[in-house]
Amino acid sequence: MSSSTVSSSTFNSAPGRVRAQGLVEFALILPVLLLTIFMIIELARLLHAWLAVENGARFGVRYAVTGEFDSDYCTALYGGPCTTIAMEDGARIPSIKDVANAGAVAILKNSAVTTVGDPGYFKVEVCSSKIGVALLPPDPDVPTAATCVPVEDPGGPGDRVIVSIDFDHPLITPMISSLWPNLHLNSKREGIVEQFRTARVVGLPATVAGPTSTPTNTPTPSNTPTPSNTPTPTATPSCGDIFFQNLYISGDDIRGNVKNNNDATAYLVTTKFEWAELSSSMRVNHMKYGGLRYYDGDDYSSSTIINGTNLSHPTNTSKQWRADFSGEPSEPIWGLYKLWLTYDFPGWGTCTIFRSVYAGAPPPPEPTNTPGPTRTPGPTNTPRPPTATSSSPPTSTSPAPTATSSGPPPTPPPPPCFDC
């Protein structure tokens, strides 16, 4: 009995049986352990990618508000230095994107991927708060990235500039990556563009005091000429000093006069025109400013937006704005018409003025009454003289008078007398 008990205990505690049990347990726990490790790594990668995208948008908007740009883009885009505001804004957009790309480092972005929703897709979009410019938000379910319409714009002094980054972060966790290959990340930052086209006064420290010299008797000069032609400082432009004098309908035109009372030249850079679509064939044929034709679009739908015109409006002058329509149902046109004009004052900022005009539809034409046929008078009934009757009357031999049309009928004769 004792020998049997010892033999059974020795078999149950054999080293080979213990190793086999541990191997089975390890095989069962290994997939869960690996999945946990990969999930920790994936969450760390995701957190790093999100921080990189946030930093890229932050770096981009900090650079955008300064108005700086890489002058190499002027040569690449325009073949020489940037000489206008529009050219500078064109060079600012790729410069801002370079800074945003540099801020989003150490992530698996792929410049060769151009389709949103594919792993590695990376896009920087630059937009502003100017009238006629808007940023459409991204939609990861479609998927779509943020887009500035109608075109990207870095904004001018005083405008809000927006830098948006879209990134499709690739996942590497087994099984999960086959079902969900990437995760769409988006970051957006806004800032107010500085007055970078205006000289700014920087606070300087107090002057270092030096030794005071002993004054000497200096003879007073006489007949000192007074300097002439001293330049008068230019007043700061005011948006209240550029305004619509009127806006009215003339035939198939919308016309309005703008007065610039500022001591600085304004430049018309953006036009937004909302108009009444009176028929399917009605269209904006062209626009003029100060007699200069700056739009030939044949736009069939409202609203009509024109950017980057840069038309000058000198100080203390009036200019006429005009829009001509074609295909309208009749003249004069009617309905509600709204007009926004945005002006840029170089080195200061922008101003937007607004005016609207409304005219009711003309009444329908009244129907014309056509005269009917003229009634022809019938023949005139001529009265006949009465005839006297009796039970035994003698017949009167007097002839009855004949009625003529030249005068009234004759008086009938008296009745015959029987008692005479």
Side-chain angles (χ1 to χ4, degrees):
M1 188 70 179
S2 176
S3 174
S4 175
T5 302
V6 172
S7 176
S8 175
S9 176
T10 303
F11 177 78
N12 290 334
S13 60
R17 184 176 180 83
V18 174
R19 287 194 297 270
Q21 181 180 356
L23 183 62
V24 172
E25 291 175 352
F26 180 75
L28 293 176
I29 199 65
L30 181 61
V32 179
L33 179 61
L34 291 177
L35 183 61
T36 302
I37 294 173
F38 274 106
M39 287 299 296
I40 294 174
I41 297 174
E42 193 68 83
L43 290 175
R45 292 181 64 251
L46 180 60
L47 178 61
H48 170 73
W50 178 74
L51 290 175
V53 171
E54 290 284 325
N55 284 336
R58 188 179 297 111
F59 286 11
V61 79
R62 284 180 177 177
Y63 184 82
V65 298
T66 64
E68 298 292 334
F69 59 90
D70 188 352
S71 59
D72 291 341
Y73 281 111
C74 294
T75 305
L77 296 174
Y78 309 109
C82 294
T83 57
T84 64
I85 295 176
M87 295 170 68
E88 291 180 358
D89 289 344
R92 286 176 59 203
I93 294 175
S95 302
I96 296 170
K97 292 184 177 182
D98 286 347
V99 175
N101 270 286
V105 295
I107 56 177
L108 298 179
K109 54 187 176 181
N110 188 353
S111 59
V113 177
T114 58
T115 303
V116 60
D118 291 346
Y121 175 81
F122 186 85
K123 179 186 178 184
V124 181
E125 194 77 2
V126 181
C127 201
S128 73
S129 61
K130 285 184 178 179
I131 294 178
V133 181
L135 181 70
L136 301 181
D139 187 356
D141 297 329
V142 175
T144 57
T147 305
C148 186
V149 293
V151 292
E152 289 185 277
D153 185 83
D159 294 331
R160 300 186 70 87
V161 61
I162 306 167
V163 177
S164 177
I165 296 181
D166 290 275
F167 174 57
D168 288 310
H169 172 66
L171 303 179
I172 62 173
T173 302
M175 295 181 294
I176 296 180
S177 61
S178 60
L179 300 176
W180 196 3
N182 61 75
L183 181 65
H184 189 86
L185 303 177
N186 173 264
S187 178
K188 182 181 71 172
R189 287 290 183 273
E190 298 183 13
I192 299 177
V193 182
E194 301 173 357
Q195 302 291 341
F196 59 86
R197 295 190 178 111
T198 304
R200 291 173 290 177
V201 178
V202 180
L204 299 176
T207 304
V208 178
T212 304
S213 58
T214 303
T216 57
N217 294 326
T218 304
T220 304
S222 60
N223 298 327
T224 304
T226 303
S228 59
N229 298 328
T230 303
T232 303
T234 303
T236 302
S238 172
C239 290
D241 288 333
I242 184 167
F243 52 88
F244 278 107
Q245 294 177 303
N246 52 34
L247 189 69
Y248 58 95
I249 298 174
S250 176
D252 65 342
D253 292 353
I254 304 295
R255 303 184 184 186
N257 295 306
V258 180
K259 180 68 178 293
N260 179 22
N261 282 338
N262 286 287
D263 292 334
T265 299
Y267 294 88
L268 177 63
V269 294
T270 302
T271 303
K272 181 180 179 182
F273 182 39
E274 292 184 1
W275 45 278
E277 300 179 12
L278 304 180
S279 66
S280 59
S281 61
M282 184 174 177
R283 62 191 183 274
V284 178
N285 187 22
H286 64 263
M287 293 185 188
K288 292 183 178 180
Y289 191 71
L292 178 63
R293 189 164 177 163
Y294 70 98
Y295 175 74
D296 289 289
D298 281 344
D299 190 3
Y300 283 83
S301 61
S302 178
S303 58
T304 304
I305 300 174
I306 305 100
N307 291 311
T309 50
N310 209 33
L311 301 174
S312 66
H313 191 142
T315 176
N316 297 318
T317 58
S318 295
K319 283 196 174 186
Q320 185 184 73
W321 181 90
R322 174 181 174 183
D324 178 75
F325 287 94
S326 295
E328 68 278 355
S330 63
E331 294 185 20
I333 55 178
W334 66 91
L336 178 62
Y337 299 84
K338 300 179 180 180
L339 177 62
W340 292 264
L341 298 180
T342 300
Y343 295 86
D344 179 57
F345 291 90
W348 179 75
T350 59
C351 295
T352 300
I353 61 176
F354 168 78
R355 194 71 176 258
S356 64
V357 62
Y358 174 79
E366 297 182 358
T368 305
N369 294 326
T370 305
T374 304
R375 298 184 61 184
T376 304
T380 304
N381 295 324
T382 304
R384 301 180 62 184
T387 304
T389 57
S390 168
S391 58
S392 57
T395 304
S396 175
T397 58
S398 301
T402 302
T404 62
S405 60
S406 60
T411 303
C417 180
F418 298 102
D419 297 330
C420 298

